[in-house]
Every structure is written in structure tokens, then in C-alpha cells.
Amino acid sequence: MNDSVFHRLYEEYHQDVFQFLIYLVKNRHLSEDLMHEVYIRAFRAYDRFEGKSSEKTWLFSIAKNVAIDHFRKTAVRKKHSMEYFDWETQQLVSSERIPEEVSLLNEDKVLLYKTLDTCTGDQKMVIIMRFFQDLSIAETADVLGWTEGKVKTTQHRAIKALREKLTAREGGDENAE
């Protein structure tokens, strides 16, 4: 990869990658560190990029893997055990507070953002990619390495879970997480 390609990738997609990482880890400084790792991996792997997906979905795929690696390392450090972190079934929940950007949103959006943390890792990834990052179903499938059907099913289940949890909260059950 030459410098001009790297700079173009960075200029075109760094904001999207950064926003995606902020939604996942909820920490601006950590997101910046992880974003640097994304671009290091992209730089090292660009010669193997086959163009089967767009560069944007390729970068999101790398960002997803970098975030998962971060959560795995954090989980291992916290538990000091050799347990396997299954990101597909365990929740990707950061212990960090909600990003400053989100605190500027209205209460409904903050509640939605907090409730999203109660979903599974798969559900959270799909909702963030589809609705926060505006990726299509096909692009989301490319990033996650899934079929479009799996993305649609996961999205449907995530929306249903979010709706149920938000309805339970509105009904007075503040612990409906």
C-alpha cells in the first residue's frame, strides 16, 4: 500500500470508523487507540484486500475484530482465567460511561443507547452498523461475514428485544435490563 492510498482510506473513512468504535467501547481515548490499530492492520493487509467488498465494509470488519480483541483481552485480564470469550453470545459491554457526544442527545436516545448494552454482541453489532452507521444489510453481512438472512434475523430479534426492554422500563420496571 502506498502512502496516497493509505491517506485516502484514512480521510474517507476515519470518522465512520471512529464513531463505530465509540459506540462499542464508549471511550473516546480508547476509540482513538483502537482506530490506530485498525489502520495499522489495514496498512499491513491491504495487499491481500481482494475488493470483494467495499473498502468501507472491509475497514468496518477490521474495526469489529479490533473491538472484539479489546473485549477479549479485557475479559481475560479481569477474570484472570482461560475462559473462552464468545463474542456472539456474550454481551459486548464497556464499563466506561456513555460518550460525551451521547450525553448531548435527548433522554430517549440515551435510554436507547443504554438499553442497547443489554443486547447480545451480535444484536449490538447489527444495530450499530445498520442504524448508527447506516450500512445496508449487504454491507453489514460483508463486515460480519454472515448471510443477509442472518443479518435480517438478528436485526429483527434485536429490535424486538429493545422494544420489549424499553416497554418494560416505561411500564415502571426500572430494572428491565
Side-chain angles (χ1 to χ4, degrees):
M1 170 189 283
N2 64 38
D3 283 349
S4 64
V5 172
F6 181 81
H7 289 293
R8 180 184 56 77
L9 284 176
Y10 184 82
E11 287 302 315
E12 282 186 43
Y13 304 115
H14 78 277
Q15 274 302 110
D16 290 333
V17 170
F18 181 67
Q19 286 284 319
F20 177 64
L21 290 168
I22 276 189
Y23 285 126
L24 290 177
V25 301
K26 298 183 196 143
N27 179 301
R28 182 177 204 81
H29 298 293
L30 178 58
S31 296
E32 289 170 356
D33 290 344
L34 295 178
M35 188 173 73
H36 291 224
E37 178 64 23
V38 168
Y39 280 94
I40 288 169
R41 289 186 189 185
F43 183 78
R44 290 179 180 159
Y46 193 79
D47 59 330
R48 294 186 307 275
F49 176 63
E50 298 174 355
K52 292 180 181 176
S53 65
S54 71
E55 290 172 331
K56 181 178 180 177
T57 58
W58 179 65
L59 286 171
F60 269 75
S61 182
I62 294 170
K64 172 199 70 154
N65 291 331
V66 166
I68 289 168
D69 289 348
H70 163 74
F71 283 113
R72 283 183 181 144
K73 288 174 187 173
T74 302
V76 168
R77 285 184 195 131
K78 283 184 179 177
K79 292 181 181 180
H80 296 291
S81 71
M82 298 303 289
E83 287 182 11
Y84 175 71
F85 183 85
D86 185 358
W87 71 274
E88 291 185 4
T89 58
Q90 293 186 24
Q91 294 179 354
L92 295 178
V93 179
S94 172
S95 60
E96 299 293 327
R97 292 181 40 222
I98 294 177
E100 310 83 55
E101 293 88 354
V102 176
S103 67
L104 301 174
L105 301 174
N106 67 37
E107 287 181 33
D108 290 340
K109 289 182 181 176
V110 170
L111 179 60
L112 174 63
Y113 191 77
K114 286 180 178 179
T115 306
L116 185 59
D117 264 348
T118 67
C119 292
T120 66
D122 283 356
Q123 292 171 346
K124 185 174 180 177
M125 287 280 195
V126 169
I127 294 297
I128 290 171
M129 288 182 203
R130 293 280 295 124
F131 300 107
F132 291 52
Q133 296 297 318
D134 294 322
L135 295 183
S136 69
I137 288 173
E139 289 171 326
T140 303
D142 281 345
V143 169
L144 296 173
W146 295 353
T147 64
E148 290 183 22
K150 183 173 180 180
V151 170
K152 290 176 186 177
T153 301
T154 304
Q155 176 181 312
H156 173 76
R157 289 178 180 159
I159 291 170
K160 181 180 177 191
L162 285 170
R163 186 176 292 127
E164 288 171 358
K165 291 171 185 182
L166 290 169
T167 301
R169 284 185 144 210
E170 288 174 3
D173 183 7
E174 291 297 319
N175 295 321
E177 292 182 16

